[in-house]
Amino acid sequence: MKILTFLSIAQNTDPNNRTTTHGKERILQYLDGLDKFFQYSKVGDFDVFIADNTITKDNPLDIRIENIAHKNNAHVISCDKNEYGCRNKGAGIIEQWRYCKEYMLKYDWIIYFEPRQLLRHFDFLDSFFLNPRNLFNRIFNFFHTGLFAVERKTLINFIDVVSLDWMVNSSTSIEYLLHDYFVDNNYKFHTIQDSGILWHDVCKNRWEAW
């Protein structure tokens, strides 16, 4: 059984977007999040990809992120392929997954994590490795998609059927869309109440636990 942890970052963002952090502050959040993630004791038991689809020649990936990846034997995938992310964050994530699809096909399970968040503890990861399964932090009728685990074939099927233009035009979030995909197709999933992450709410300027 092959497991991939997919660490999704978007270093270069539209400075006019008031719903997220930018520049040095954003990079520092990634550095803190990556540093905490790589403290996990089992991190050597699976492959790690750090993927960023906002990288250009004029705005390369920060060398400190490169150094963290190298130090921890993580594979970096970078490109300038972010047509949708500035219009719908979830569509941008799926666009990134599509770019990395050929790499993902080599694995049986995908753990997805956005390291601009901070891991407070590793209970989610421990729970998954004790019993690999589709695992989410579910809130009412949506999944918190900052950290989840999913069988690769299910995620690839989801990637293949979603219309990114429809997501943008209908302002549909990936949190609701992924949840409904599982429910509508009767895919089994398990939930965990505390995923152990701190998420930065830019609008409220505070960190919130999920």
Side-chain angles (χ1 to χ4, degrees), residues 2 6 17 54 58 74 76 78 87 101 104 128 142 163 173:
K2 297 188 66 177
F6 190 107
N17 184 347
T54 69
D58 293 333
V76 175
S78 62
R87 294 181 286 162
K101 179 179 174 180
M104 297 164 72
F128 172 80
F142 71 90
S163 167
S173 82

Side-chain angles (χ1 to χ4, degrees), residues 9 11 27 31 34-35 38 50 61-76:
I9 66 178
Q11 175 183 287
I27 292 173
L31 293 172
L34 290 167
D35 181 67
F38 283 113
I50 298 174
L61 189 64
D62 190 277
I63 187 62
R64 291 167 293 180
I65 296 177
E66 292 270 12
N67 288 340
I68 289 176
H70 179 73
K71 177 182 177 181
N72 293 282
N73 297 314
H75 181 64
V76 175

Side-chain angles (χ1 to χ4, degrees), residues 74-98:
H75 181 64
V76 175
I77 304 173
S78 62
C79 64
D80 180 18
K81 188 75 173 177
N82 191 37
E83 178 184 350
Y84 290 91
C86 59
R87 294 181 286 162
N88 182 300
K89 178 187 174 183
I93 291 170
I94 297 171
E95 186 177 21
Q96 187 183 69
W97 289 344
R98 286 180 175 174

Side-chain angles (χ1 to χ4, degrees), residues 180-196:
D180 291 348
Y181 180 77
F182 267 79
V183 172
D184 293 345
N185 289 281
N186 295 315
Y187 289 130
K188 292 182 179 180
F189 63 88
H190 295 79
T191 61
I192 189 168
Q193 186 173 1
D194 179 9
S195 57

Side-chain angles (χ1 to χ4, degrees), residues 91-203:
I93 291 170
I94 297 171
E95 186 177 21
Q96 187 183 69
W97 289 344
R98 286 180 175 174
Y99 182 83
C100 299
K101 179 179 174 180
E102 294 304 314
Y103 298 99
M104 297 164 72
L105 287 170
K106 300 175 183 178
Y107 296 87
D108 302 300
W109 292 92
I110 308 290
I111 300 170
Y112 175 80
F113 177 54
E114 296 173 3
R116 201 163 58 86
Q117 305 164 122
L118 285 173
L119 286 166
R120 295 181 285 113
H121 54 68
F122 300 111
D123 291 358
F124 181 98
L125 296 174
D126 284 339
S127 177
F128 172 80
F129 282 106
L130 183 65
N131 176 25
R133 65 211 187 277
N134 296 318
L135 186 61
F136 296 90
N137 174 226
R138 184 187 194 185
I139 304 171
F140 299 111
N141 60 339
F142 71 90
F143 293 146
H144 175 62
T145 55
L147 172 63
F148 65 89
V150 62
E151 193 171 14
R152 181 263 304 159
K153 63 181 181 181
T154 302
L155 183 61
I156 295 299
N157 288 342
F158 173 73
I159 292 171
D160 288 343
V161 300
V162 172
S163 167
L164 302 187
D165 289 321
W166 176 83
M167 285 184 70
V168 170
N169 294 333
S170 62
S171 299
T172 298
S173 82
I174 191 173
E175 289 84 359
Y176 289 96
L177 190 62
L178 185 58
H179 173 274
D180 291 348
Y181 180 77
F182 267 79
V183 172
D184 293 345
N185 289 281
N186 295 315
Y187 289 130
K188 292 182 179 180
F189 63 88
H190 295 79
T191 61
I192 189 168
Q193 186 173 1
D194 179 9
S195 57
I197 61 176
L198 285 173
W199 170 73
H200 185 245
D201 187 328
V202 175
C203 297

